[in-house]
PDB file of all heavy atoms in Angstrom:
ATOM      1  N   ARG A  52      52.349 -38.343  75.895  1.00  0.00           N
ATOM      2  CA  ARG A  52      51.855 -39.562  75.272  1.00  0.00           C
ATOM      3  C   ARG A  52      51.596 -39.343  73.775  1.00  0.00           C
ATOM      4  O   ARG A  52      51.827 -40.236  72.961  1.00  0.00           O
ATOM      5  CB  ARG A  52      50.573 -40.030  75.971  1.00  0.00           C
ATOM      6  CG  ARG A  52      50.826 -40.626  77.344  1.00  0.00           C
ATOM      7  CD  ARG A  52      49.518 -40.964  78.052  1.00  0.00           C
ATOM      8  NE  ARG A  52      48.774 -42.004  77.357  1.00  0.00           N
ATOM      9  CZ  ARG A  52      49.001 -43.302  77.489  1.00  0.00           C
ATOM     10  NH1 ARG A  52      49.962 -43.736  78.280  1.00  0.00           N
ATOM     11  NH2 ARG A  52      48.264 -44.187  76.833  1.00  0.00           N
ATOM     12  N   GLY A  53      51.126 -38.156  73.419  1.00  0.00           N
ATOM     13  CA  GLY A  53      50.918 -37.851  72.009  1.00  0.00           C
ATOM     14  C   GLY A  53      52.228 -37.832  71.234  1.00  0.00           C
ATOM     15  O   GLY A  53      52.327 -38.398  70.138  1.00  0.00           O
ATOM     16  N   ILE A  54      53.240 -37.199  71.809  1.00  0.00           N
ATOM     17  CA  ILE A  54      54.552 -37.147  71.155  1.00  0.00           C
ATOM     18  C   ILE A  54      55.173 -38.538  71.086  1.00  0.00           C
ATOM     19  O   ILE A  54      55.805 -38.914  70.091  1.00  0.00           O
ATOM     20  CB  ILE A  54      55.474 -36.169  71.911  1.00  0.00           C
ATOM     21  CG1 ILE A  54      54.931 -34.738  71.786  1.00  0.00           C
ATOM     22  CG2 ILE A  54      56.902 -36.245  71.380  1.00  0.00           C
ATOM     23  CD1 ILE A  54      55.635 -33.739  72.666  1.00  0.00           C
ATOM     24  N   ARG A  55      54.958 -39.308  72.131  1.00  0.00           N
ATOM     25  CA  ARG A  55      55.465 -40.685  72.149  1.00  0.00           C
ATOM     26  C   ARG A  55      54.827 -41.511  71.037  1.00  0.00           C
ATOM     27  O   ARG A  55      55.510 -42.299  70.358  1.00  0.00           O
ATOM     28  CB  ARG A  55      55.178 -41.303  73.513  1.00  0.00           C
ATOM     29  CG  ARG A  55      55.658 -42.746  73.655  1.00  0.00           C
ATOM     30  CD  ARG A  55      55.228 -43.292  75.006  1.00  0.00           C
ATOM     31  NE  ARG A  55      55.464 -44.728  75.115  1.00  0.00           N
ATOM     32  CZ  ARG A  55      55.008 -45.476  76.113  1.00  0.00           C
ATOM     33  NH1 ARG A  55      54.296 -44.922  77.071  1.00  0.00           N
ATOM     34  NH2 ARG A  55      55.261 -46.769  76.139  1.00  0.00           N
ATOM     35  N   LEU A  56      53.535 -41.340  70.843  1.00  0.00           N
ATOM     36  CA  LEU A  56      52.854 -42.069  69.770  1.00  0.00           C
ATOM     37  C   LEU A  56      53.401 -41.662  68.409  1.00  0.00           C
ATOM     38  O   LEU A  56      53.683 -42.523  67.561  1.00  0.00           O
ATOM     39  CB  LEU A  56      51.347 -41.804  69.830  1.00  0.00           C
ATOM     40  CG  LEU A  56      50.518 -42.405  68.684  1.00  0.00           C
ATOM     41  CD1 LEU A  56      50.633 -43.928  68.693  1.00  0.00           C
ATOM     42  CD2 LEU A  56      49.072 -41.968  68.771  1.00  0.00           C
ATOM     43  N   LEU A  57      53.579 -40.368  68.188  1.00  0.00           N
ATOM     44  CA  LEU A  57      54.115 -39.903  66.915  1.00  0.00           C
ATOM     45  C   LEU A  57      55.516 -40.451  66.692  1.00  0.00           C
ATOM     46  O   LEU A  57      55.871 -40.840  65.574  1.00  0.00           O
ATOM     47  CB  LEU A  57      54.122 -38.370  66.892  1.00  0.00           C
ATOM     48  CG  LEU A  57      54.484 -37.721  65.554  1.00  0.00           C
ATOM     49  CD1 LEU A  57      53.405 -38.014  64.511  1.00  0.00           C
ATOM     50  CD2 LEU A  57      54.654 -36.210  65.723  1.00  0.00           C
ATOM     51  N   HIS A  58      56.302 -40.497  67.757  1.00  0.00           N
ATOM     52  CA  HIS A  58      57.652 -41.065  67.661  1.00  0.00           C
ATOM     53  C   HIS A  58      57.590 -42.539  67.271  1.00  0.00           C
ATOM     54  O   HIS A  58      58.362 -43.011  66.422  1.00  0.00           O
ATOM     55  CB  HIS A  58      58.367 -40.895  69.000  1.00  0.00           C
ATOM     56  CG  HIS A  58      59.743 -41.496  69.029  1.00  0.00           C
ATOM     57  ND1 HIS A  58      59.981 -42.820  69.381  1.00  0.00           N
ATOM     58  CD2 HIS A  58      60.973 -40.953  68.745  1.00  0.00           C
ATOM     59  CE1 HIS A  58      61.270 -43.056  69.307  1.00  0.00           C
ATOM     60  NE2 HIS A  58      61.896 -41.958  68.933  1.00  0.00           N
ATOM     61  N   ASN A  59      56.675 -43.285  67.886  1.00  0.00           N
ATOM     62  CA  ASN A  59      56.528 -44.700  67.548  1.00  0.00           C
ATOM     63  C   ASN A  59      56.152 -44.887  66.083  1.00  0.00           C
ATOM     64  O   ASN A  59      56.645 -45.789  65.403  1.00  0.00           O
ATOM     65  CB  ASN A  59      55.465 -45.352  68.437  1.00  0.00           C
ATOM     66  CG  ASN A  59      55.926 -45.505  69.871  1.00  0.00           C
ATOM     67  OD1 ASN A  59      57.106 -45.312  70.181  1.00  0.00           O
ATOM     68  ND2 ASN A  59      55.006 -45.832  70.760  1.00  0.00           N
ATOM     69  N   TRP A  60      55.264 -44.035  65.609  1.00  0.00           N
ATOM     70  CA  TRP A  60      54.841 -44.113  64.209  1.00  0.00           C
ATOM     71  C   TRP A  60      55.987 -43.793  63.257  1.00  0.00           C
ATOM     72  O   TRP A  60      56.096 -44.350  62.177  1.00  0.00           O
ATOM     73  CB  TRP A  60      53.681 -43.159  63.960  1.00  0.00           C
ATOM     74  CG  TRP A  60      52.357 -43.697  64.414  1.00  0.00           C
ATOM     75  CD1 TRP A  60      52.088 -44.954  64.859  1.00  0.00           C
ATOM     76  CD2 TRP A  60      51.122 -42.980  64.456  1.00  0.00           C
ATOM     77  NE1 TRP A  60      50.755 -45.067  65.186  1.00  0.00           N
ATOM     78  CE2 TRP A  60      50.142 -43.881  64.945  1.00  0.00           C
ATOM     79  CE3 TRP A  60      50.742 -41.679  64.136  1.00  0.00           C
ATOM     80  CZ2 TRP A  60      48.814 -43.508  65.115  1.00  0.00           C
ATOM     81  CZ3 TRP A  60      49.421 -41.304  64.308  1.00  0.00           C
ATOM     82  CH2 TRP A  60      48.468 -42.217  64.792  1.00  0.00           C
ATOM     83  N   GLN A  61      56.822 -42.829  63.657  1.00  0.00           N
ATOM     84  CA  GLN A  61      57.912 -42.400  62.790  1.00  0.00           C
ATOM     85  C   GLN A  61      59.027 -43.443  62.705  1.00  0.00           C
ATOM     86  O   GLN A  61      59.667 -43.586  61.664  1.00  0.00           O
ATOM     87  CB  GLN A  61      58.501 -41.078  63.300  1.00  0.00           C
ATOM     88  CG  GLN A  61      57.615 -39.868  63.032  1.00  0.00           C
ATOM     89  CD  GLN A  61      57.501 -39.574  61.554  1.00  0.00           C
ATOM     90  OE1 GLN A  61      56.476 -39.855  60.949  1.00  0.00           O
ATOM     91  NE2 GLN A  61      58.538 -39.023  60.973  1.00  0.00           N
ATOM     92  N   PHE A  62      59.272 -44.160  63.804  1.00  0.00           N
ATOM     93  CA  PHE A  62      60.463 -45.005  63.864  1.00  0.00           C
ATOM     94  C   PHE A  62      60.139 -46.493  64.029  1.00  0.00           C
ATOM     95  O   PHE A  62      60.937 -47.257  64.555  1.00  0.00           O
ATOM     96  CB  PHE A  62      61.365 -44.542  65.017  1.00  0.00           C
ATOM     97  CG  PHE A  62      61.865 -43.144  64.822  1.00  0.00           C
ATOM     98  CD1 PHE A  62      61.266 -42.080  65.487  1.00  0.00           C
ATOM     99  CD2 PHE A  62      62.913 -42.874  63.964  1.00  0.00           C
ATOM    100  CE1 PHE A  62      61.714 -40.783  65.299  1.00  0.00           C
ATOM    101  CE2 PHE A  62      63.364 -41.584  63.771  1.00  0.00           C
ATOM    102  CZ  PHE A  62      62.768 -40.541  64.435  1.00  0.00           C
ATOM    103  N   THR A  63      58.955 -46.878  63.588  1.00  0.00           N
ATOM    104  CA  THR A  63      58.615 -48.298  63.545  1.00  0.00           C
ATOM    105  C   THR A  63      58.187 -48.656  62.142  1.00  0.00           C
ATOM    106  O   THR A  63      57.903 -47.784  61.320  1.00  0.00           O
ATOM    107  CB  THR A  63      57.480 -48.640  64.532  1.00  0.00           C
ATOM    108  OG1 THR A  63      56.331 -47.843  64.219  1.00  0.00           O
ATOM    109  CG2 THR A  63      57.896 -48.397  65.964  1.00  0.00           C
ATOM    110  N   ASN A  64      58.114 -49.928  61.862  1.00  0.00           N
ATOM    111  CA  ASN A  64      57.760 -50.397  60.516  1.00  0.00           C
ATOM    112  C   ASN A  64      56.346 -50.980  60.477  1.00  0.00           C
ATOM    113  O   ASN A  64      56.117 -52.051  59.928  1.00  0.00           O
ATOM    114  CB  ASN A  64      58.766 -51.453  60.043  1.00  0.00           C
ATOM    115  CG  ASN A  64      60.159 -50.875  59.861  1.00  0.00           C
ATOM    116  OD1 ASN A  64      60.295 -49.771  59.339  1.00  0.00           O
ATOM    117  ND2 ASN A  64      61.163 -51.610  60.295  1.00  0.00           N
ATOM    118  N   LEU A  65      55.419 -50.273  61.106  1.00  0.00           N
ATOM    119  CA  LEU A  65      54.038 -50.738  61.079  1.00  0.00           C
ATOM    120  C   LEU A  65      53.422 -50.300  59.753  1.00  0.00           C
ATOM    121  O   LEU A  65      53.121 -49.134  59.534  1.00  0.00           O
ATOM    122  CB  LEU A  65      53.259 -50.145  62.255  1.00  0.00           C
ATOM    123  CG  LEU A  65      53.792 -50.511  63.658  1.00  0.00           C
ATOM    124  CD1 LEU A  65      52.981 -49.810  64.728  1.00  0.00           C
ATOM    125  CD2 LEU A  65      53.784 -52.006  63.852  1.00  0.00           C
ATOM    126  N   ASN A  66      53.216 -51.245  58.866  1.00  0.00           N
ATOM    127  CA  ASN A  66      52.763 -50.905  57.516  1.00  0.00           C
ATOM    128  C   ASN A  66      51.369 -50.305  57.478  1.00  0.00           C
ATOM    129  O   ASN A  66      51.034 -49.565  56.564  1.00  0.00           O
ATOM    130  CB  ASN A  66      52.803 -52.163  56.632  1.00  0.00           C
ATOM    131  CG  ASN A  66      54.215 -52.674  56.430  1.00  0.00           C
ATOM    132  OD1 ASN A  66      55.154 -51.879  56.374  1.00  0.00           O
ATOM    133  ND2 ASN A  66      54.367 -53.986  56.332  1.00  0.00           N
ATOM    134  N   GLN A  67      50.541 -50.619  58.489  1.00  0.00           N
ATOM    135  CA  GLN A  67      49.179 -50.128  58.443  1.00  0.00           C
ATOM    136  C   GLN A  67      49.068 -48.653  58.833  1.00  0.00           C
ATOM    137  O   GLN A  67      48.014 -48.050  58.689  1.00  0.00           O
ATOM    138  CB  GLN A  67      48.263 -50.958  59.361  1.00  0.00           C
ATOM    139  CG  GLN A  67      48.492 -50.782  60.857  1.00  0.00           C
ATOM    140  CD  GLN A  67      49.544 -51.728  61.390  1.00  0.00           C
ATOM    141  OE1 GLN A  67      50.433 -52.147  60.656  1.00  0.00           O
ATOM    142  NE2 GLN A  67      49.456 -52.075  62.648  1.00  0.00           N
ATOM    143  N   ILE A  68      50.140 -48.050  59.345  1.00  0.00           N
ATOM    144  CA  ILE A  68      50.118 -46.635  59.687  1.00  0.00           C
ATOM    145  C   ILE A  68      50.442 -45.825  58.440  1.00  0.00           C
ATOM    146  O   ILE A  68      51.568 -45.850  57.928  1.00  0.00           O
ATOM    147  CB  ILE A  68      51.135 -46.326  60.802  1.00  0.00           C
ATOM    148  CG1 ILE A  68      50.862 -47.211  62.019  1.00  0.00           C
ATOM    149  CG2 ILE A  68      51.059 -44.856  61.180  1.00  0.00           C
ATOM    150  CD1 ILE A  68      49.484 -47.047  62.605  1.00  0.00           C
ATOM    151  N   GLN A  69      49.457 -45.116  57.927  1.00  0.00           N
ATOM    152  CA  GLN A  69      49.621 -44.357  56.699  1.00  0.00           C
ATOM    153  C   GLN A  69      50.369 -43.040  56.959  1.00  0.00           C
ATOM    154  O   GLN A  69      50.194 -42.423  58.016  1.00  0.00           O
ATOM    155  CB  GLN A  69      48.252 -44.055  56.086  1.00  0.00           C
ATOM    156  CG  GLN A  69      47.427 -45.296  55.778  1.00  0.00           C
ATOM    157  CD  GLN A  69      48.083 -46.146  54.713  1.00  0.00           C
ATOM    158  OE1 GLN A  69      48.656 -45.619  53.765  1.00  0.00           O
ATOM    159  NE2 GLN A  69      48.002 -47.460  54.856  1.00  0.00           N
ATOM    160  N   PRO A  70      51.188 -42.580  56.022  1.00  0.00           N
ATOM    161  CA  PRO A  70      51.870 -41.289  56.183  1.00  0.00           C
ATOM    162  C   PRO A  70      50.888 -40.143  56.408  1.00  0.00           C
ATOM    163  O   PRO A  70      51.172 -39.206  57.153  1.00  0.00           O
ATOM    164  CB  PRO A  70      52.631 -41.130  54.861  1.00  0.00           C
ATOM    165  CG  PRO A  70      52.802 -42.521  54.348  1.00  0.00           C
ATOM    166  CD  PRO A  70      51.590 -43.278  54.778  1.00  0.00           C
ATOM    167  N   GLN A  71      49.714 -40.218  55.759  1.00  0.00           N
ATOM    168  CA  GLN A  71      48.717 -39.173  55.927  1.00  0.00           C
ATOM    169  C   GLN A  71      48.222 -39.101  57.369  1.00  0.00           C
ATOM    170  O   GLN A  71      47.957 -38.014  57.898  1.00  0.00           O
ATOM    171  CB  GLN A  71      47.533 -39.412  54.982  1.00  0.00           C
ATOM    172  CG  GLN A  71      47.873 -39.298  53.511  1.00  0.00           C
ATOM    173  CD  GLN A  71      48.430 -40.596  52.945  1.00  0.00           C
ATOM    174  OE1 GLN A  71      48.676 -41.547  53.675  1.00  0.00           O
ATOM    175  NE2 GLN A  71      48.636 -40.632  51.631  1.00  0.00           N
ATOM    176  N   ASP A  72      48.097 -40.269  58.019  1.00  0.00           N
ATOM    177  CA  ASP A  72      47.658 -40.292  59.411  1.00  0.00           C
ATOM    178  C   ASP A  72      48.672 -39.598  60.314  1.00  0.00           C
ATOM    179  O   ASP A  72      48.306 -38.906  61.269  1.00  0.00           O
ATOM    180  CB  ASP A  72      47.463 -41.734  59.877  1.00  0.00           C
ATOM    181  CG  ASP A  72      46.273 -42.411  59.209  1.00  0.00           C
ATOM    182  OD1 ASP A  72      45.426 -41.686  58.651  1.00  0.00           O
ATOM    183  OD2 ASP A  72      46.201 -43.648  59.222  1.00  0.00           O
ATOM    184  N   LYS A  73      49.944 -39.788  60.014  1.00  0.00           N
ATOM    185  CA  LYS A  73      50.993 -39.160  60.816  1.00  0.00           C
ATOM    186  C   LYS A  73      50.915 -37.638  60.712  1.00  0.00           C
ATOM    187  O   LYS A  73      51.039 -36.929  61.720  1.00  0.00           O
ATOM    188  CB  LYS A  73      52.365 -39.647  60.351  1.00  0.00           C
ATOM    189  CG  LYS A  73      52.581 -41.149  60.478  1.00  0.00           C
ATOM    190  CD  LYS A  73      53.942 -41.538  59.908  1.00  0.00           C
ATOM    191  CE  LYS A  73      54.120 -43.049  59.882  1.00  0.00           C
ATOM    192  NZ  LYS A  73      55.421 -43.439  59.297  1.00  0.00           N
ATOM    193  N   ILE A  74      50.715 -37.131  59.502  1.00  0.00           N
ATOM    194  CA  ILE A  74      50.640 -35.682  59.308  1.00  0.00           C
ATOM    195  C   ILE A  74      49.419 -35.102  60.020  1.00  0.00           C
ATOM    196  O   ILE A  74      49.487 -34.044  60.662  1.00  0.00           O
ATOM    197  CB  ILE A  74      50.599 -35.342  57.803  1.00  0.00           C
ATOM    198  CG1 ILE A  74      51.900 -35.784  57.127  1.00  0.00           C
ATOM    199  CG2 ILE A  74      50.363 -33.850  57.590  1.00  0.00           C
ATOM    200  CD1 ILE A  74      51.906 -35.590  55.631  1.00  0.00           C
ATOM    201  N   ILE A  75      48.286 -35.799  59.919  1.00  0.00           N
ATOM    202  CA  ILE A  75      47.077 -35.326  60.581  1.00  0.00           C
ATOM    203  C   ILE A  75      47.279 -35.256  62.091  1.00  0.00           C
ATOM    204  O   ILE A  75      46.957 -34.249  62.741  1.00  0.00           O
ATOM    205  CB  ILE A  75      45.876 -36.240  60.244  1.00  0.00           C
ATOM    206  CG1 ILE A  75      45.510 -36.117  58.758  1.00  0.00           C
ATOM    207  CG2 ILE A  75      44.670 -35.892  61.114  1.00  0.00           C
ATOM    208  CD1 ILE A  75      44.972 -34.770  58.361  1.00  0.00           C
ATOM    209  N   PHE A  76      47.826 -36.331  62.668  1.00  0.00           N
ATOM    210  CA  PHE A  76      48.049 -36.335  64.113  1.00  0.00           C
ATOM    211  C   PHE A  76      49.057 -35.260  64.506  1.00  0.00           C
ATOM    212  O   PHE A  76      48.892 -34.587  65.529  1.00  0.00           O
ATOM    213  CB  PHE A  76      48.537 -37.713  64.561  1.00  0.00           C
ATOM    214  CG  PHE A  76      48.603 -37.873  66.055  1.00  0.00           C
ATOM    215  CD1 PHE A  76      47.440 -37.991  66.802  1.00  0.00           C
ATOM    216  CD2 PHE A  76      49.819 -37.909  66.714  1.00  0.00           C
ATOM    217  CE1 PHE A  76      47.489 -38.136  68.182  1.00  0.00           C
ATOM    218  CE2 PHE A  76      49.879 -38.050  68.087  1.00  0.00           C
ATOM    219  CZ  PHE A  76      48.715 -38.161  68.827  1.00  0.00           C
ATOM    220  N   PHE A  77      50.086 -35.097  63.697  1.00  0.00           N
ATOM    221  CA  PHE A  77      51.078 -34.041  63.953  1.00  0.00           C
ATOM    222  C   PHE A  77      50.415 -32.664  63.950  1.00  0.00           C
ATOM    223  O   PHE A  77      50.748 -31.808  64.773  1.00  0.00           O
ATOM    224  CB  PHE A  77      52.176 -34.109  62.891  1.00  0.00           C
ATOM    225  CG  PHE A  77      53.236 -33.057  63.040  1.00  0.00           C
ATOM    226  CD1 PHE A  77      54.184 -33.145  64.039  1.00  0.00           C
ATOM    227  CD2 PHE A  77      53.282 -31.976  62.169  1.00  0.00           C
ATOM    228  CE1 PHE A  77      55.176 -32.170  64.177  1.00  0.00           C
ATOM    229  CE2 PHE A  77      54.262 -31.000  62.297  1.00  0.00           C
ATOM    230  CZ  PHE A  77      55.208 -31.096  63.304  1.00  0.00           C
ATOM    231  N   SER A  78      49.452 -32.444  63.043  1.00  0.00           N
ATOM    232  CA  SER A  78      48.782 -31.145  62.970  1.00  0.00           C
ATOM    233  C   SER A  78      47.998 -30.852  64.249  1.00  0.00           C
ATOM    234  O   SER A  78      47.915 -29.698  64.678  1.00  0.00           O
ATOM    235  CB  SER A  78      47.854 -31.087  61.752  1.00  0.00           C
ATOM    236  OG  SER A  78      46.703 -31.899  61.928  1.00  0.00           O
ATOM    237  N   TYR A  79      47.446 -31.890  64.874  1.00  0.00           N
ATOM    238  CA  TYR A  79      46.727 -31.689  66.139  1.00  0.00           C
ATOM    239  C   TYR A  79      47.690 -31.311  67.260  1.00  0.00           C
ATOM    240  O   TYR A  79      47.382 -30.451  68.095  1.00  0.00           O
ATOM    241  CB  TYR A  79      45.927 -32.938  66.506  1.00  0.00           C
ATOM    242  CG  TYR A  79      44.580 -32.981  65.840  1.00  0.00           C
ATOM    243  CD1 TYR A  79      44.460 -33.306  64.485  1.00  0.00           C
ATOM    244  CD2 TYR A  79      43.417 -32.675  66.532  1.00  0.00           C
ATOM    245  CE1 TYR A  79      43.230 -33.335  63.851  1.00  0.00           C
ATOM    246  CE2 TYR A  79      42.173 -32.695  65.908  1.00  0.00           C
ATOM    247  CZ  TYR A  79      42.089 -33.025  64.569  1.00  0.00           C
ATOM    248  OH  TYR A  79      40.863 -33.038  63.942  1.00  0.00           O
ATOM    249  N   LEU A  80      48.847 -31.949  67.289  1.00  0.00           N
ATOM    250  CA  LEU A  80      49.854 -31.571  68.277  1.00  0.00           C
ATOM    251  C   LEU A  80      50.308 -30.130  68.067  1.00  0.00           C
ATOM    252  O   LEU A  80      50.415 -29.354  69.026  1.00  0.00           O
ATOM    253  CB  LEU A  80      51.047 -32.520  68.191  1.00  0.00           C
ATOM    254  CG  LEU A  80      50.839 -33.933  68.748  1.00  0.00           C
ATOM    255  CD1 LEU A  80      52.036 -34.814  68.394  1.00  0.00           C
ATOM    256  CD2 LEU A  80      50.639 -33.902  70.253  1.00  0.00           C
ATOM    257  N   VAL A  81      50.561 -29.761  66.816  1.00  0.00           N
ATOM    258  CA  VAL A  81      50.990 -28.392  66.521  1.00  0.00           C
ATOM    259  C   VAL A  81      49.899 -27.399  66.899  1.00  0.00           C
ATOM    260  O   VAL A  81      50.175 -26.340  67.488  1.00  0.00           O
ATOM    261  CB  VAL A  81      51.356 -28.251  65.025  1.00  0.00           C
ATOM    262  CG1 VAL A  81      51.632 -26.792  64.675  1.00  0.00           C
ATOM    263  CG2 VAL A  81      52.567 -29.103  64.690  1.00  0.00           C
ATOM    264  N   ALA A  82      48.649 -27.729  66.573  1.00  0.00           N
ATOM    265  CA  ALA A  82      47.536 -26.824  66.882  1.00  0.00           C
ATOM    266  C   ALA A  82      47.399 -26.615  68.381  1.00  0.00           C
ATOM    267  O   ALA A  82      47.169 -25.485  68.844  1.00  0.00           O
ATOM    268  CB  ALA A  82      46.233 -27.368  66.301  1.00  0.00           C
ATOM    269  N   PHE A  83      47.544 -27.689  69.163  1.00  0.00           N
ATOM    270  CA  PHE A  83      47.391 -27.511  70.611  1.00  0.00           C
ATOM    271  C   PHE A  83      48.577 -26.743  71.194  1.00  0.00           C
ATOM    272  O   PHE A  83      48.394 -25.881  72.058  1.00  0.00           O
ATOM    273  CB  PHE A  83      47.244 -28.853  71.321  1.00  0.00           C
ATOM    274  CG  PHE A  83      46.913 -28.681  72.784  1.00  0.00           C
ATOM    275  CD1 PHE A  83      45.616 -28.398  73.179  1.00  0.00           C
ATOM    276  CD2 PHE A  83      47.898 -28.756  73.755  1.00  0.00           C
ATOM    277  CE1 PHE A  83      45.296 -28.194  74.512  1.00  0.00           C
ATOM    278  CE2 PHE A  83      47.601 -28.560  75.091  1.00  0.00           C
ATOM    279  CZ  PHE A  83      46.297 -28.280  75.468  1.00  0.00           C
ATOM    280  N   PHE A  84      49.791 -27.050  70.744  1.00  0.00           N
ATOM    281  CA  PHE A  84      50.942 -26.277  71.211  1.00  0.00           C
ATOM    282  C   PHE A  84      50.788 -24.801  70.827  1.00  0.00           C
ATOM    283  O   PHE A  84      51.203 -23.905  71.571  1.00  0.00           O
ATOM    284  CB  PHE A  84      52.241 -26.844  70.645  1.00  0.00           C
ATOM    285  CG  PHE A  84      52.819 -27.973  71.447  1.00  0.00           C
ATOM    286  CD1 PHE A  84      52.803 -29.266  70.962  1.00  0.00           C
ATOM    287  CD2 PHE A  84      53.369 -27.740  72.693  1.00  0.00           C
ATOM    288  CE1 PHE A  84      53.326 -30.314  71.700  1.00  0.00           C
ATOM    289  CE2 PHE A  84      53.902 -28.779  73.448  1.00  0.00           C
ATOM    290  CZ  PHE A  84      53.876 -30.078  72.957  1.00  0.00           C
ATOM    291  N   ALA A  85      50.188 -24.547  69.663  1.00  0.00           N
ATOM    292  CA  ALA A  85      49.916 -23.167  69.255  1.00  0.00           C
ATOM    293  C   ALA A  85      48.961 -22.495  70.235  1.00  0.00           C
ATOM    294  O   ALA A  85      49.138 -21.315  70.577  1.00  0.00           O
ATOM    295  CB  ALA A  85      49.338 -23.149  67.842  1.00  0.00           C
ATOM    296  N   CYS A  86      47.958 -23.244  70.696  1.00  0.00           N
ATOM    297  CA  CYS A  86      47.023 -22.698  71.688  1.00  0.00           C
ATOM    298  C   CYS A  86      47.732 -22.393  73.001  1.00  0.00           C
ATOM    299  O   CYS A  86      47.438 -21.383  73.657  1.00  0.00           O
ATOM    300  CB  CYS A  86      45.875 -23.680  71.926  1.00  0.00           C
ATOM    301  SG  CYS A  86      44.776 -23.906  70.521  1.00  0.00           S
ATOM    302  N   VAL A  87      48.663 -23.255  73.384  1.00  0.00           N
ATOM    303  CA  VAL A  87      49.434 -23.009  74.602  1.00  0.00           C
ATOM    304  C   VAL A  87      50.229 -21.714  74.464  1.00  0.00           C
ATOM    305  O   VAL A  87      50.225 -20.855  75.365  1.00  0.00           O
ATOM    306  CB  VAL A  87      50.381 -24.195  74.901  1.00  0.00           C
ATOM    307  CG1 VAL A  87      51.321 -23.857  76.051  1.00  0.00           C
ATOM    308  CG2 VAL A  87      49.560 -25.442  75.239  1.00  0.00           C
ATOM    309  N   LEU A  88      50.917 -21.541  73.323  1.00  0.00           N
ATOM    310  CA  LEU A  88      51.676 -20.318  73.092  1.00  0.00           C
ATOM    311  C   LEU A  88      50.760 -19.095  73.069  1.00  0.00           C
ATOM    312  O   LEU A  88      51.096 -18.040  73.621  1.00  0.00           O
ATOM    313  CB  LEU A  88      52.442 -20.413  71.773  1.00  0.00           C
ATOM    314  CG  LEU A  88      53.651 -21.354  71.755  1.00  0.00           C
ATOM    315  CD1 LEU A  88      54.244 -21.420  70.349  1.00  0.00           C
ATOM    316  CD2 LEU A  88      54.710 -20.874  72.742  1.00  0.00           C
ATOM    317  N   PHE A  89      49.605 -19.237  72.431  1.00  0.00           N
ATOM    318  CA  PHE A  89      48.669 -18.124  72.346  1.00  0.00           C
ATOM    319  C   PHE A  89      48.233 -17.680  73.742  1.00  0.00           C
ATOM    320  O   PHE A  89      48.059 -16.484  74.000  1.00  0.00           O
ATOM    321  CB  PHE A  89      47.447 -18.535  71.522  1.00  0.00           C
ATOM    322  CG  PHE A  89      46.572 -17.390  71.111  1.00  0.00           C
ATOM    323  CD1 PHE A  89      46.826 -16.691  69.942  1.00  0.00           C
ATOM    324  CD2 PHE A  89      45.496 -17.000  71.892  1.00  0.00           C
ATOM    325  CE1 PHE A  89      46.033 -15.624  69.567  1.00  0.00           C
ATOM    326  CE2 PHE A  89      44.690 -15.938  71.518  1.00  0.00           C
ATOM    327  CZ  PHE A  89      44.951 -15.243  70.348  1.00  0.00           C
TER     328      PHE A  89
END
């Protein structure tokens, strides 16, 4: 669901979604996947 949300943000034209918000949310996904690998 997290990846799906990021995909929606990347490939839709919702003007209220700021690029900074996308990077922040992406960092949480990366951090958790990092924990899984760890």
Side-chain angles (χ1 to χ4, degrees):
R52 287 175 64 83
I54 294 171
R55 180 184 171 190
L56 175 62
L57 188 66
H58 178 272
N59 289 349
W60 280 352
Q61 286 293 105
F62 297 100
T63 58
N64 295 318
L65 300 177
N66 295 327
Q67 70 272 27
I68 304 301
Q69 302 295 322
Q71 295 85 353
D72 291 343
K73 299 176 186 178
I74 296 175
I75 293 293
F76 188 73
F77 179 74
S78 72
Y79 275 76
L80 286 171
V81 173
F83 187 80
F84 275 109
C86 293
V87 172
L88 288 176
F89 193 87

